Amino acid sequence: MYISSNAKYLSQHSSIMKFHAIELFNGKTSSPNIPKQVFQLALTLIFLSIISLCLNRNTHSSFSFPKLNFQGLRSIGFHKECDIFIGKWVPFPRGPYYTNASCSLITDQQNCIKFGRPDTEFMKWRWKPDECELPLFDAVQFLELLRGKSLAFVGDSVGRNQMESLLCQLASVVYPEDISYNMSDTDFKRWFYADYNFTLATLWSPYLVKARDADPSGHSSNSIMNLYLDKVDEAWAAEITKFDYVVISAGQWFFRPLMLYESGQLIGCHKCQKENVTDLVAYYAYRKAFRTAFRTLLNLKDYKGVTFLRTFSPAHFENGDWNNGGSCVRTRPCTKEEFKLERYYIMQMYSTQEEEQRAAAKEGRKRGLQFRLLNTTEVMLLRPDGHPNRLGHSRHGNVTVADCVHWCLPGPIDTWNEFLLYMLRREDQTAFGRKLQKTA
């Protein structure tokens, strides 16, 4: 198999070399002052390099790839500044990076095809920025960028949804080892890619700050919670200094009934329906939670990571809320006008996050810390077709409620990791540039 593959590889590259040789010796691109022998020597060296590369390919398993020349990756530059988050969804007949058959890591909650979704068009769209091209996700390049490093997703189950998407996108190269058994908390998951010495993790914290059940009868899908807005959730904060990159997010849990505390005192609530308690909008708690999370990262002595804020992910319930008959049955992307009414609260959630991220980024620059905005809000507002609806099976076995919050795998959420890789490449190029300046 390898011999056949390498023969084809050599044949393709030999044809390319012949084409360039003809051009060179015909004088189309060569300088008349350079001897023919120089070109022959150069072609010989190229040919030997290709042979060496092909021989090296034989030593790798079916899930391994040759090591890349990473200096070369850095030279694959971005020709101009481009806001990759402004654009539109366009048809992409090629379809997804993986399927539920090719990736065994998809959980039942997001495995829409396994549980009978009949349409597949929702998997055949791709995000196209207005002013540039968004590169396809390259699993080898991602793993090379993160070689010897670690990445954590901190937040709720939509953050975990993105992590599971990433696991499947990387599975085209290698499957990781689940090392979560070393963790005492089952809501913290860790995966290890030994060939790259890369750790991927998800740290469950739906509010980012300290939260406790307020209902004496225990936790339920709509029970009231005590939220301590100025106290970080120590569970993730105690772990976060171990990571080089952090993707932080939160969202839908802030629409639950909440009792809100600051400095140990009850200062109001959200949808608690209690007398003599000030009713506060969801944006209030949302802002304070992100402010506390960012301040924690800024003040942790040993935290040196790059922080990405993945912005609010919109739900698409129609004809009712999640608990009174709402569902999401669309099969194609929509226009901004179709969700005009919902757009107001969605953009309020987004702007609340964005303002806190901007303040953290300003303070972070003084301390040598980077805070970046991974802006998925308006991008995903246009994808009401991408949710499991009633086809996902939750971890708790409840399939009677439509899921218009999480995203099918494969599906539009795979785009988030295209964004992430694009941003990681920029981070690497920026860091590389800083090193060059120091050594100059």
Side-chain angles (χ1 to χ4, degrees), residues 53-309:
L53 175 60
C54 291
L55 291 174
N56 286 339
R57 284 157 62 102
N58 292 348
T59 64
H60 291 270
S61 71
S62 59
F63 284 124
S64 299
F65 290 79
K67 289 186 178 180
L68 299 178
N69 177 352
F70 209 59
Q71 298 292 86
L73 282 180
R74 292 191 175 104
S75 69
I76 304 173
F78 299 87
H79 297 295
K80 64 176 182 177
E81 290 293 324
C82 169
D83 189 338
I84 57 173
F85 308 115
I86 297 177
K88 60 184 177 182
W89 291 95
V90 297
F92 189 62
R94 172 175 160 182
Y97 293 98
Y98 57 92
T99 67
N100 69 316
S102 68
C103 180
S104 62
L105 299 172
I106 304 175
T107 61
D108 285 353
Q109 188 175 8
Q110 282 90 42
N111 202 334
C112 302
I113 299 299
K114 175 182 176 180
F115 291 104
R117 179 161 180 166
D119 63 298
T120 59
E121 187 176 357
F122 75 97
M123 298 186 291
K124 297 178 181 179
W125 295 85
R126 189 156 190 273
W127 183 251
K128 170 65 176 72
D130 287 342
E131 297 181 353
C132 64
E133 294 294 330
L134 178 64
L136 289 167
F137 185 86
D138 185 325
V140 175
Q141 188 179 125
F142 187 96
L143 288 165
E144 287 291 353
L145 277 167
L146 277 297
R147 181 180 288 278
K149 296 181 180 179
S150 53
L151 167 66
F153 291 90
V154 178
D156 58 19
S157 54
V158 178
R160 184 170 60 222
N161 199 175
Q162 182 182 0
M163 187 274 293
E164 291 170 352
S165 162
L166 181 57
L167 285 173
C168 283
Q169 286 170 301
L170 297 177
S172 64
V173 176
V174 63
Y175 271 79
E177 177 189 358
D178 184 349
I179 58 173
S180 306
Y181 60 84
N182 292 326
M183 300 296 297
S184 58
D185 191 331
T186 57
D187 286 325
F188 283 15
K189 295 282 288 182
R190 275 184 170 82
W191 305 85
F192 184 61
Y193 294 80
D195 289 348
Y196 296 89
N197 189 27
F198 165 53
T199 301
L200 178 63
T202 178
L203 309 181
W204 167 261
S205 184
Y207 295 107
L208 305 178
V209 294
K210 181 180 176 181
R212 296 286 185 272
D213 281 304
D215 193 332
S217 61
H219 185 76
S220 68
S221 60
N222 204 34
S223 60
I224 196 165
M225 300 288 291
N226 288 336
L227 223 57
Y228 302 89
L229 299 175
D230 53 353
K231 295 184 180 297
V232 76
D233 179 357
E234 291 290 347
W236 72 262
E239 295 285 328
I240 210 63
T241 57
K242 302 173 184 176
F243 294 93
D244 300 288
Y245 298 98
V246 173
V247 181
I248 193 167
S249 60
Q252 299 296 333
W253 284 67
F254 286 83
F255 297 112
R256 293 170 61 107
L258 302 172
M259 304 296 291
L260 306 176
Y261 291 82
E262 291 185 69
S263 301
Q265 301 296 317
L266 180 66
I267 53 97
C269 73
H270 174 63
K271 296 199 310 187
C272 67
Q273 298 179 346
K274 292 184 179 292
E275 294 182 6
N276 301 319
V277 180
T278 304
D279 191 30
L280 299 170
V281 294
Y283 318 127
Y284 181 90
Y286 203 51
R287 179 182 301 280
K288 289 300 183 78
F290 275 99
R291 184 173 297 177
T292 296
F294 289 146
R295 284 180 176 173
T296 299
L297 294 172
L298 285 165
N299 292 323
L300 282 173
K301 181 180 178 182
D302 297 325
Y303 180 65
K304 307 297 181 185
V306 177
T307 306
F308 298 90
L309 167 64

